Amino acid sequence: MGTASSLVSPAVGVGEVIEDTYGGGEACEIPVEVKPKARLLRGSLRRVGASRPGGLIGASFKSTASVQELECVAEYERLKKEYEIFRVSKNNEVASMVKKEAKLDRENKRLRAELQALQKTYQKILREKESALEAKYQAMERAATFEHDRDKVKRQFKIFRETKENEIQDLLRAKRELEAKLQRLQAQGIQVFHPEESDSDDNCTDVTAAGAQSEYWNGGALGSEPSMGSMMQLQQSFRGPEFAHSSIDVEGPFANINRDDWDAAVASLLQVTPLFSHSLWSNTVRCFIISTDETQLEVDIFIKTYSLKLQRICETMGYFFQVVHFSTENERPLKDVKKWEIEKSSLVILLLHLTLPSCLLEDCEEAFLRNPEEKPRLIYHRKEDGRVSSVSVQQLIEQISYVNKAKMIDHTGGVEEGAYEIYKCVEKIIKQDILGCEMTDLEAKDLGNKEESTAPEEEVFGDVLWDAHDEQEQMEAFQQASNSTCELGFEKYFERLNDLVAAPAPIPPLLVSGGPGSGKSLLLSKWIQLQQKHSPNTLILYHFVGRPMSTSSESALIIKRLTLKQAEKHMKWLIDPLPVNVRVIVSVNVETCPQAWRLWPTLHLDPLNTKDVKSLISAECSSANVKLTKEQEKKLERHCRSATTCNALYVTLLGKTIACVGSTGSIEETLQQCCQCQDTVSLYRLVLRSIQESLQSDKEKGLLREILCVIGVSHNGVSESELMELYPQLSSAVLASLIHSLHKMCLLTYGCGLLKFQHLQAWEMVRLEYMEEGENVISAYRQKLVEYFTMQLSRDQVTWRSADELPWLFQQQGDKQKLHKCLLNLFVSQNLYKRGHFAELLSYWQLVGKDKSSMAAEYFDSLKEYEKSCEGEESMICLADLYETLGRFLKDLGLLSQAVAPLQRSLEIRETALDPDHPRVAQSLHQLAGVYVQWKKFGNAEQLYKQALEISENAYGAEHPRVARELDALATLYQKQNKYEQAEQLRKKSFKIRQKAARRKGSLCGFALLRQRALQLEELTLGKDTPDNARTLNELGVLYYLQNNLETAELFLKRSLEMRERVLGPDHPDCAQSLNNLAALYNEKKHYDRAEELYEKALDIRRRALAPDHPSLAYTVKHLAVLYKKMGKLDKAVPLYELAVEIRQKSFGPKHPSVATALVNLAVLYCQMKKQIEALPLYERALKIYEDSFGHMHPRVGETLKNLAVLSYEGGDFEKAAELYKRAMEIKEAETLLIGGKAASRHSSSGDTFSLKSALSPNVFLEHGQR
């Protein structure tokens, strides 16, 4: 039996820890309260029950169990209550903890978000910091490059200025010494060279602000002032060549222009006035051949084999070439024809062997002994061993050698070799002696060590769209009219014209009216001749109008020619309004005079009186030794009394007809026939029939008809060479005889090398005589011309003749499809536009039915198609010219937004194919700036003009007319921006440059002769070698090189090199200059081995004497590398291209675009050598530089990507090639869609190549002196 304590707490001890089954709370101790009474009671009961079993035991247990149950229930209730209290408190604590947990979670999320935001801000700031540091470093690199370029330019400018100052001082010193030597020689009685005697006529042209007092005018407004003239034809004439004139005083009260503007305009006019060689007859190089039967083989070979080559040479320069040769048979009847041909000839060739027939002696004397103009002459003498020429041959050669400076060819070989020697000598004479003054523009070439110093041919006239052929045609028309010996009583009309000029202003224009052939052009020509004689400072503009539909009758070209686009800002008053001192004279036909003009003062030419008729006919008959009887004279006087038979043209033609037949036929019969002709057209028909009767065969009569009809249906006439190609059966002798007869009888005349009708009545006569059947005959002859010029177009480059004739012929035929195709020939349209035929080109497009926008789109599409076939430097330069022409054309049409893209493309091509400092780049910049000026984007225009000005100054010097052009453009721009002070300063500077250029014009050849004579005198008097003499020899060699006189240039350059090696030593930089110039000359002559040797010597000297980044060193490296490439020595070219990369890195820094261009050049060379592995990193590096410098969408980036694509394709990586090519095409498309914006590339970044297939051709120029 246990104790009470064991019954009460059998399992739980006092103070035992009970854990909360709900968790989350703390462990707690539950104290158990023990009640002693109950425990004692339960113990006594147990003891009693144990001692007394049975009923007593049962009764005792029941009472005891009830008490225990009560106690347990009470305890249970108590514990239950305590448990509920404990549970509720713990639940409350749990709820509080849950709330705290939720609050902490929210705070944790907020802090995490703030942390993430701070991290993002930190990353952004870090990236901005890195970008700022990178931009800082790039800016520092650009600043260093800029400072380097600036210092380099300063050094170059300092050297250039010092060199020019030294040259000026040397020239002044040489001039003073030469004058002193000349004076000493003259004092000794020695006849010396005088430069003024050898200068051309243009040396007399001087632009002066105030001339001497006029000697011709006796009073009035011009009594104390010189006069400036301007001629103007305001109305198309339909009655033959017409004429108009206006004269403007230099000084006096001008209404709306100032003196500086006038002087600048005069300088512009003189600048664009073309010079023509005295050896040329009407724009044709005529070669007259005199030969014997012994040398006929040489003549045949020369004409058959070499005349076509000479013709191509002349055509590329804009001239015709004609060989005239008469056989020894039937010489006497052609005496007058041969004499006329010798007078016209530019060159006479005499071919001799052993004998000289007596029939040729007179021709030889006429050509060689009577040569007042000293035209070139050539004698070919074939000798044989053991045989001696006849006495007549020896005497003739001795006489010619004594009297004339004819060139001699002594040949001892075969006839084919002899013909080749004749060809080489004739080619040299044509280029140097005949076309030398036209081919050489010394001002346009830098005599210094410039790599590229020539400009496009059209740039001779600046912005002027000028047609030199039209100008020469006008000059010839004036000469033909003024050279007439007939006066026809013009003195009374001269007085009226003088009164008009002297009358007080304002007065309306004066009309000179008269019937067709009344002598209006002759009158005004004679009057102008007097003006020029008595007022040398007079400037005269005139225009003769030819037959309808000819170029000379187009009103737009007439106004353009007289106003001159270059001078229009100075001479807007030429049309309206006129200054008070302007006098306008217009000649018109009575029938075609506009009604509004009939109110103006009129000078009407009266019909010829009896005295004038008699004197005119007598003069014609006396020239042919024909004597008329009294009865015949009276008969002629009675006949020439009607209005149609007493005009000057009819009477002149009548006199020529009588004089022509007087020596061979019956005068009386001819006179009877003439009296039946009551107008000029019928008299012309009689003249034509008399010419036909004089011909010996039907073949010649048929050829006569063909010649006249072809000339009649052409646009501006036909040349002799074209006639011989149209009719192969036509010999030069027969053609010369026919033209002589037609020219003598006033049917045909020459105009810029083209045969055309001398008067409109002659054209009408041919139409009536040969084309009476109507349009079918005309269409047949026009089709013949179409086939000929189409063949010329497909066989060779477009000439000015095919561009003039072919579109016009299609227009006359109404064949719009062929006209459209012809206009889309880019070279045809370019030729027409550049020669100022703007209105004509537009009229063709209007006939096709295209407006301006569609025309521009078709031209652009044609250019894009043509660009796909362009490979090589020359074709890309040509492409740039086409793009520029299209841009200028669109600008003139007013399509400014569309004009930007082609001009931008032209600029990029020139920067890539040439040098960024090439003058043609300046030309592109100038044209692009002009578009921005019209577009009112003055900021863009100013930047481009300044870039063009900088390039022009570096290329030509600060006093060149092209610099004046850029100054004028900037001045105009500043004036539009109301910056009048800056504009005035630039205008004054430009005006001084133009004045100096006008004074120098025409004297360059005289200057070259003067320098040569000065050098000869120095060498004769001093007799020693000096650096100055060596430099002068080098300059003379450069001058002759620029004149294409390579043999003479070689002599001077060799003498300069020898003298410099003796005086300065073989390792002096000046010797390298002479070596370089000689190498360039040999390169031009295609003597590549000699050029290679000299370039290598020059490079060795300059490497040792000059800085690693010196421009002269880079110049030699470049051209030697190009020469190696041309010779196929690619292994030798590689180190030079690598050296070029090094030089550019030292000069511009490693990240300059010019370095990228050099890398591309080297990569292209590696590709040509099949070293694609070496080329790949170069392309990638160049691409990185281009992208960093110009952006990812620049055309150069696209070109490099395209090259990389080709490289990847060849390497088999087709996916990469496709990706690169796609990027390149995207850039190309973006470039095509470019409408506006600035020039994408700076001119300071060089570009020598443009694609993987580029074939660089060297542009070789000579060096003149250190800069």
Side-chain angles (χ1 to χ4, degrees):
M1 186 172 171
T3 60
S5 59
S6 63
L7 293 174
V8 176
S9 56
V12 179
V14 178
E16 185 177 359
V17 178
I18 304 298
E19 294 183 357
D20 188 3
T21 59
Y22 295 97
E26 295 180 357
C28 56
E29 295 180 355
I30 302 177
V32 180
E33 184 178 357
V34 180
K35 295 181 178 181
K37 291 180 179 181
R39 186 163 42 238
L40 292 174
L41 178 63
R42 287 191 295 268
S44 61
L45 288 175
R46 288 192 215 47
R47 286 191 301 268
V48 172
S51 60
R52 294 178 181 175
L56 181 62
I57 296 171
S60 298
F61 178 76
K62 184 177 179 180
S63 59
T64 302
S66 299
V67 173
Q68 290 180 345
E69 289 177 359
L70 291 174
E71 289 179 351
C72 289
V73 169
E75 185 69 17
Y76 170 77
E77 291 295 331
R78 184 184 64 80
L79 292 175
K80 184 178 179 180
K81 291 180 181 178
E82 290 178 353
Y83 173 77
E84 285 295 325
I85 295 171
F86 174 78
R87 187 178 63 80
V88 171
S89 65
K90 290 301 177 183
N91 286 339
N92 292 336
E93 289 179 0
V94 168
S96 175
M97 289 297 178
V98 169
K99 291 180 180 179
K100 289 182 181 180
E101 182 181 11
K103 183 178 180 181
L104 289 174
D105 288 340
R106 289 193 299 271
E107 186 71 16
N108 183 39
K109 291 179 181 179
R110 184 181 65 79
L111 292 176
R112 286 182 179 277
E114 290 180 355
L115 178 61
Q116 291 177 355
L118 289 175
Q119 289 176 345
K120 292 180 180 179
T121 305
Y122 170 76
Q123 294 294 334
K124 181 179 179 181
I125 294 174
L126 187 62
R127 288 194 300 270
E128 290 177 351
K129 178 182 177 182
E130 292 175 352
S131 301
L133 289 175
E134 185 177 1
K136 175 184 176 182
Y137 294 144
Q138 291 179 356
M140 292 175 63
E141 291 177 357
R142 289 196 298 269
T145 303
F146 172 79
E147 291 176 356
H148 183 272
D149 293 342
R150 182 191 62 189
D151 295 338
K152 182 179 179 181
V153 170
K154 285 183 178 179
R155 292 194 302 270
Q156 292 177 346
F157 175 77
K158 181 179 179 182
I159 296 173
F160 176 81
R161 182 184 60 188
E162 292 174 354
T163 304
K164 288 299 179 184
E165 290 175 352
N166 294 335
E167 289 178 357
I168 292 172
Q169 295 298 326
D170 293 341
L171 287 174
L172 292 175
R173 183 170 61 253
K175 178 184 175 183
R176 290 193 297 268
E177 293 175 357
L178 179 59
E179 290 174 349
K181 294 170 187 175
L182 291 175
Q183 291 175 0
R184 288 197 300 269
L185 293 174
Q186 289 175 349
Q188 297 174 5
I190 301 175
Q191 190 70 23
V192 296
F193 165 85
H194 197 280
E196 295 179 357
E197 297 175 357
S198 65
D199 285 350
S200 63
D201 296 336
D202 296 308
N203 294 341
C204 301
T205 303
D206 193 10
V207 182
T208 56
Q213 181 174 348
S214 175
E215 301 174 0
Y216 180 59
W217 306 107
N218 297 321
L222 298 182
S224 60
E225 300 171 354
S227 64
M228 302 297 290
S230 169
M231 299 193 50
M232 185 182 310
Q233 178 69 41
L234 299 179
Q235 172 70 13
Q236 288 192 30
S237 172
F238 301 97
R239 293 291 181 181
E242 296 301 331
F243 183 79
H245 173 269
S246 68
S247 61
I248 301 100
D249 297 345
V250 175
E251 298 185 5
F254 283 77
N256 56 357
I257 61 172
N258 56 45
R259 180 57 182 276
D260 290 340
D261 286 346
W262 168 252
D263 290 336
V266 172
S268 300
L269 292 173
L270 291 176
Q271 184 184 3
V272 301
T273 301
L275 303 175
F276 302 106
S277 172
H278 70 281
S279 299
L280 290 173
W281 171 275
S282 188
N283 200 58
T284 304
V285 178
R286 308 184 69 87
C287 183
F288 187 81
I289 298 178
I290 305 174
S291 66
T292 64
D293 293 335
E294 298 171 331
T295 56
Q296 186 63 38
L297 289 176
E298 283 95 332
V299 174
D300 295 339
I301 295 173
F302 175 78
I303 294 176
K304 182 179 179 180
T305 307
Y306 300 112
S307 61
L308 187 60
K309 295 181 180 180
L310 295 173
Q311 180 179 343
R312 294 290 177 262
I313 292 174
C314 295
E315 284 179 353
T316 55
M317 301 177 188
Y319 302 99
F320 298 109
F321 178 77
Q322 179 68 12
V323 176
V324 180
H325 175 244
F326 293 88
S327 62
T328 55
E329 302 176 356
N330 301 324
E331 292 292 330
R332 299 306 299 171
L334 301 176
K335 177 181 177 181
D336 294 338
V337 180
K338 291 195 294 183
K339 183 177 180 181
W340 188 56
E341 286 293 337
I342 290 174
E343 291 175 356
K344 296 190 300 178
S345 64
S346 308
L347 170 65
V348 177
I349 307 174
L350 174 61
L351 289 83
L352 299 173
H353 182 37
L354 299 177
T355 61
L356 177 64
S358 58
C359 59
L360 297 180
L361 188 59
E362 186 175 354
D363 296 338
C364 295
E365 292 177 354
E366 179 69 29
F368 289 88
L369 302 181
R370 305 185 192 100
N371 184 18
E373 297 182 0
E374 295 186 357
K375 295 181 180 180
R377 298 293 185 256
L378 174 64
I379 300 177
Y380 167 81
H381 187 199
R382 176 157 54 89
K383 299 179 179 180
E384 290 186 14
D385 296 336
R387 303 187 67 179
V388 182
S389 300
S390 64
V391 177
S392 58
V393 172
Q394 296 178 6
Q395 289 179 350
L396 178 63
I397 293 177
E398 290 177 359
Q399 289 178 350
I400 294 174
S401 302
Y402 180 77
V403 174
N404 205 338
K405 297 180 180 179
K407 297 187 178 182
M408 293 287 300
I409 298 179
D410 291 326
H411 179 65
T412 57
V415 293
E416 293 183 355
E417 297 173 356
Y420 178 74
E421 287 191 19
I422 295 173
Y423 160 70
K424 295 303 293 183
C425 189
V426 170
E427 180 186 17
K428 179 180 177 182
I429 291 174
I430 290 175
K431 289 182 177 180
Q432 297 178 9
D433 300 335
I434 299 177
L435 303 181
C437 60
E438 300 253 347
M439 294 164 55
T440 303
D441 182 11
L442 299 182
E443 285 185 305
K445 296 180 182 290
D446 184 14
L447 301 182
N449 56 345
K450 305 291 182 184
E451 294 183 24
E452 324 285 356
S453 59
T454 184
E457 183 180 353
E458 67 274 8
E459 283 298 296
V460 174
F461 302 140
D463 287 336
V464 180
L465 298 174
W466 191 264
D467 193 347
H469 300 104
D470 292 344
E471 183 64 24
Q472 184 172 358
E473 180 183 352
Q474 291 297 319
M475 293 174 64
E476 292 176 8
F478 173 73
Q479 291 173 359
Q480 291 172 8
S482 59
N483 289 340
S484 174
T485 57
C486 302
E487 294 296 339
L488 302 178
F490 285 161
E491 290 79 7
K492 58 183 178 181
Y493 302 123
F494 291 161
E495 294 177 3
R496 177 70 184 276
L497 293 171
N498 296 343
D499 292 340
L500 169 75
V501 175
I507 58 174
L510 175 68
L511 289 182
V512 178
S513 66
S518 59
K520 301 182 294 297
S521 299
L522 181 62
L523 166 66
L524 294 176
S525 299
K526 292 290 185 181
W527 183 64
I528 291 177
Q529 208 171 25
L530 289 175
Q531 287 264 38
Q532 293 175 334
K533 178 179 179 181
H534 297 286
S535 301
N537 292 331
T538 299
L539 176 66
I540 295 177
L541 301 177
Y542 50 82
H543 190 86
F544 289 86
V545 178
R547 65 179 177 87
M549 297 187 297
S550 66
T551 302
S552 62
S553 65
E554 295 179 9
S555 302
L557 288 179
I558 295 172
I559 299 302
K560 179 181 285 291
R561 178 176 175 269
L562 294 176
T563 56
L564 290 175
K565 184 177 180 180
Q566 180 173 348
E568 64 181 359
K569 58 180 175 292
H570 307 297
M571 305 179 72
K572 294 178 180 178
W573 45 265
L574 273 178
I575 306 301
D576 184 31
L578 296 175
V580 295
N581 289 50
V582 171
R583 305 293 182 267
V584 178
I585 303 172
V586 184
S587 68
V588 294
N589 288 325
V590 176
E591 298 87 348
T592 60
C593 180
Q595 187 65 33
W597 292 11
R598 297 181 187 273
L599 301 176
W600 294 348
T602 303
L603 175 62
H604 186 76
L605 269 62
D606 299 327
L608 298 181
N609 54 37
T610 304
K611 180 182 177 181
D612 293 335
V613 170
K614 183 177 179 180
S615 64
L616 195 56
I617 294 177
S618 299
E620 293 292 344
C621 293
S622 299
S623 63
N625 296 322
V626 175
K627 184 69 174 178
L628 296 178
T629 64
K630 295 292 183 180
E631 294 180 359
Q632 292 172 342
E633 290 179 356
K634 290 180 179 180
K635 189 174 182 178
L636 288 173
E637 290 175 6
R638 289 193 300 269
H639 175 65
C640 298
R641 288 181 179 178
S642 65
T644 58
T645 59
C646 63
N647 64 63
L649 177 58
Y650 183 92
V651 175
T652 302
L653 190 59
L654 179 61
K656 288 181 177 295
T657 304
I658 296 173
C660 183
V661 301
S663 57
T664 59
S666 173
I667 296 179
E668 192 64 33
E669 181 182 354
T670 303
L671 188 58
Q672 186 67 26
Q673 294 174 351
C674 291
C675 291
Q676 296 176 2
C677 301
Q678 296 300 319
D679 56 20
T680 307
V681 174
S682 60
L683 186 57
Y684 261 126
R685 181 173 288 187
L686 177 63
V687 169
L688 179 60
R689 290 173 180 172
S690 65
I691 295 175
Q692 287 177 332
E693 293 174 358
S694 66
L695 299 178
Q696 299 177 357
S697 63
D698 294 337
K699 177 182 176 182
E700 293 182 355
K701 294 178 182 178
L703 290 173
L704 175 64
R705 173 183 177 136
E706 294 292 318
I707 290 172
L708 291 176
C709 290
V710 166
I711 294 174
V713 302
S714 66
H715 188 197
N716 294 312
V718 183
S719 69
E720 294 169 88
S721 59
E722 290 168 351
L723 285 174
M724 295 189 68
E725 291 184 15
L726 282 167
Y727 302 100
Q729 71 274 23
L730 182 62
S731 65
S732 61
V734 173
L735 178 61
S737 178
L738 292 175
I739 293 175
H740 177 263
S741 300
L742 296 171
H743 184 274
K744 181 180 179 181
M745 299 309 296
C746 300
L747 272 150
L748 295 182
T749 186
Y750 286 95
C752 195
L754 301 175
L755 290 167
K756 53 187 64 180
F757 292 106
Q758 192 165 349
H759 297 280
L760 184 61
Q761 292 87 338
W763 177 65
E764 293 177 353
M765 179 273 301
V766 170
R767 184 169 52 85
L768 294 173
E769 184 73 14
Y770 292 135
M771 304 179 187
E772 289 182 338
E773 298 179 11
E775 288 296 326
N776 293 333
V777 177
I778 296 175
S779 298
Y781 284 109
R782 282 179 179 162
Q783 183 60 32
K784 191 175 186 66
L785 286 176
V786 165
E787 293 173 359
Y788 169 76
F789 285 112
T790 303
M791 180 185 65
Q792 295 289 325
L793 204 64
S794 61
R795 185 178 63 186
D796 203 354
Q797 290 186 349
V798 176
T799 63
W800 67 280
R801 288 290 297 136
S802 56
D804 270 353
E805 294 289 336
L806 201 53
W808 183 86
L809 290 169
F810 287 140
Q811 181 190 43
Q812 296 303 310
Q813 289 182 333
D815 194 337
K816 296 183 180 180
Q817 184 177 0
K818 291 184 178 179
L819 176 60
H820 187 207
K821 182 179 179 181
C822 182
L823 293 175
L824 288 181
N825 186 314
L826 301 171
F827 296 99
V828 171
S829 299
Q830 182 189 45
N831 192 289
L832 285 172
Y833 175 76
K834 284 191 174 182
R835 292 189 296 115
H837 295 226
F838 183 80
E840 183 180 353
L841 188 57
L842 283 182
S843 67
Y844 293 148
W845 278 105
Q846 290 173 358
L847 179 64
V848 173
K850 300 290 184 180
D851 58 5
K852 294 190 294 185
S853 299
S854 59
M855 175 184 62
E858 289 195 24
Y859 271 138
F860 206 80
D861 293 341
S862 298
L863 264 176
K864 287 296 182 182
E865 191 67 25
Y866 175 75
E867 185 174 357
K868 296 178 182 178
S869 62
C870 290
E871 293 183 0
E873 183 176 2
E874 293 182 1
S875 60
M876 294 302 291
I877 294 174
C878 180
L879 177 65
D881 293 340
L882 291 172
Y883 270 115
E884 180 186 291
T885 302
L886 176 59
R888 295 176 66 178
F889 184 47
L890 297 180
K891 181 185 73 172
D892 291 344
L893 288 174
L895 305 175
L896 302 181
S897 60
Q898 299 181 40
V900 171
L903 290 175
Q904 175 69 47
R905 181 59 182 154
S906 172
L907 172 63
E908 293 169 356
I909 293 174
R910 285 174 173 168
E911 283 186 328
T912 304
L914 300 171
D915 258 348
D917 295 328
H918 195 279
R920 293 195 181 186
V921 176
Q923 177 185 338
S924 295
L925 293 168
H926 179 90
Q927 299 299 337
L928 189 57
V931 176
Y932 286 134
V933 169
Q934 292 189 17
W935 213 351
K936 308 298 182 182
K937 294 185 177 182
F938 298 133
N940 296 349
E942 181 178 359
Q943 180 183 3
L944 296 176
Y945 275 140
K946 287 181 177 180
Q947 292 180 14
L949 176 62
E950 179 184 356
I951 294 175
S952 298
E953 287 179 341
N954 292 335
Y956 302 112
E959 295 186 355
H960 194 273
R962 286 185 175 86
V963 177
R965 182 189 68 165
E966 305 302 337
L967 293 172
D968 280 336
L970 268 176
T972 303
L973 178 63
Y974 287 145
Q975 189 170 2
K976 291 180 181 293
Q977 297 175 289
N978 299 326
K979 300 178 181 179
Y980 297 110
E981 294 183 1
Q982 300 180 31
E984 185 64 21
Q985 292 176 357
L986 295 177
R987 286 194 188 280
K988 289 181 178 180
K989 187 176 179 180
S990 171
F991 170 67
K992 292 179 180 178
I993 295 174
R994 294 190 184 278
Q995 264 195 332
K996 292 180 180 179
R999 293 192 182 100
R1000 289 196 303 265
K1001 185 184 179 184
S1003 62
L1004 293 174
C1005 295
F1007 172 75
L1009 293 173
L1010 178 62
R1011 292 298 301 272
Q1012 184 176 0
R1013 178 63 64 176
L1015 178 64
Q1016 293 172 352
L1017 289 175
E1018 285 183 3
E1019 289 180 341
L1020 290 175
T1021 54
L1022 300 177
K1024 61 181 180 180
D1025 298 339
T1026 63
D1028 289 339
N1029 285 352
R1031 181 169 55 84
T1032 305
L1033 285 168
N1034 181 69
E1035 292 173 354
L1036 286 170
V1038 173
L1039 288 174
Y1040 281 109
Y1041 174 85
L1042 296 175
Q1043 294 174 355
N1044 289 329
N1045 190 344
L1046 302 183
E1047 285 73 14
T1048 308
E1050 182 179 358
L1051 294 176
F1052 280 107
L1053 291 175
K1054 281 184 176 180
R1055 290 172 59 191
S1056 173
L1057 174 61
E1058 294 171 356
M1059 189 177 295
R1060 281 175 168 173
E1061 287 179 343
R1062 289 194 299 268
V1063 176
L1064 304 173
D1067 296 332
H1068 195 276
D1070 288 352
C1071 295
Q1073 182 191 63
S1074 296
L1075 288 168
N1076 198 91
N1077 290 347
L1078 268 176
L1081 184 141
Y1082 288 136
N1083 191 10
E1084 183 74 14
K1085 296 173 69 174
K1086 303 188 184 305
H1087 297 166
Y1088 298 133
D1089 293 336
R1090 303 177 70 179
E1092 176 187 0
E1093 179 183 358
L1094 296 176
Y1095 269 137
E1096 289 175 347
K1097 289 183 179 179
L1099 179 60
D1100 181 62
I1101 294 174
R1102 285 179 168 173
R1103 270 179 167 171
R1104 288 185 277 107
L1106 302 177
D1109 58 346
H1110 197 278
S1112 297
L1113 178 60
Y1115 174 84
T1116 306
V1117 167
K1118 173 183 176 181
H1119 286 286
L1120 181 55
V1122 172
L1123 179 63
Y1124 281 148
K1125 196 173 180 181
K1126 181 189 296 185
M1127 299 172 67
K1129 299 181 178 181
L1130 302 182
D1131 293 335
K1132 287 189 174 183
V1134 169
L1136 294 179
Y1137 275 109
E1138 293 174 346
L1139 180 59
V1141 174
E1142 295 178 5
I1143 293 175
R1144 293 193 181 188
Q1145 288 184 154
K1146 293 178 180 178
S1147 301
F1148 304 109
K1151 296 184 178 181
H1152 196 273
S1154 62
V1155 177
T1157 303
L1159 291 170
V1160 171
N1161 290 338
L1162 182 57
V1164 170
L1165 185 63
Y1166 279 141
C1167 289
Q1168 291 180 354
M1169 299 173 66
K1170 307 301 181 183
K1171 296 182 178 181
Q1172 282 78 6
I1173 298 177
E1174 289 83 349
L1176 181 60
L1178 299 176
Y1179 274 131
E1180 292 174 345
R1181 182 182 169 192
L1183 178 63
K1184 180 67 168 60
I1185 296 175
Y1186 280 146
E1187 290 178 340
D1188 294 342
S1189 302
F1190 300 133
H1192 292 270
M1193 297 301 291
H1194 194 272
R1196 292 189 183 174
V1197 176
E1199 292 164 0
T1200 310
L1201 286 170
K1202 188 176 180 181
N1203 290 346
L1204 275 172
V1206 175
L1207 202 61
S1208 300
Y1209 184 84
E1210 293 178 351
D1213 193 349
F1214 303 120
E1215 294 182 359
K1216 183 177 180 181
E1219 180 183 356
L1220 294 172
Y1221 189 78
K1222 181 180 178 182
R1223 285 184 58 193
M1225 289 300 100
E1226 291 174 354
I1227 296 174
K1228 190 73 173 177
E1229 292 174 359
E1231 176 192 0
T1232 304
L1233 297 176
L1234 178 65
I1235 299 300
K1238 293 168 56 177
S1241 56
R1242 295 178 53 86
H1243 71 274
S1244 60
S1245 57
S1246 174
D1248 300 324
T1249 186
F1250 42 85
S1251 72
L1252 188 63
K1253 297 183 179 180
S1254 296
L1256 292 176
S1257 301
N1259 292 327
V1260 183
F1261 298 94
L1262 297 179
E1263 300 181 67
H1264 177 265
Q1266 291 291 346
R1267 296 293 183 215

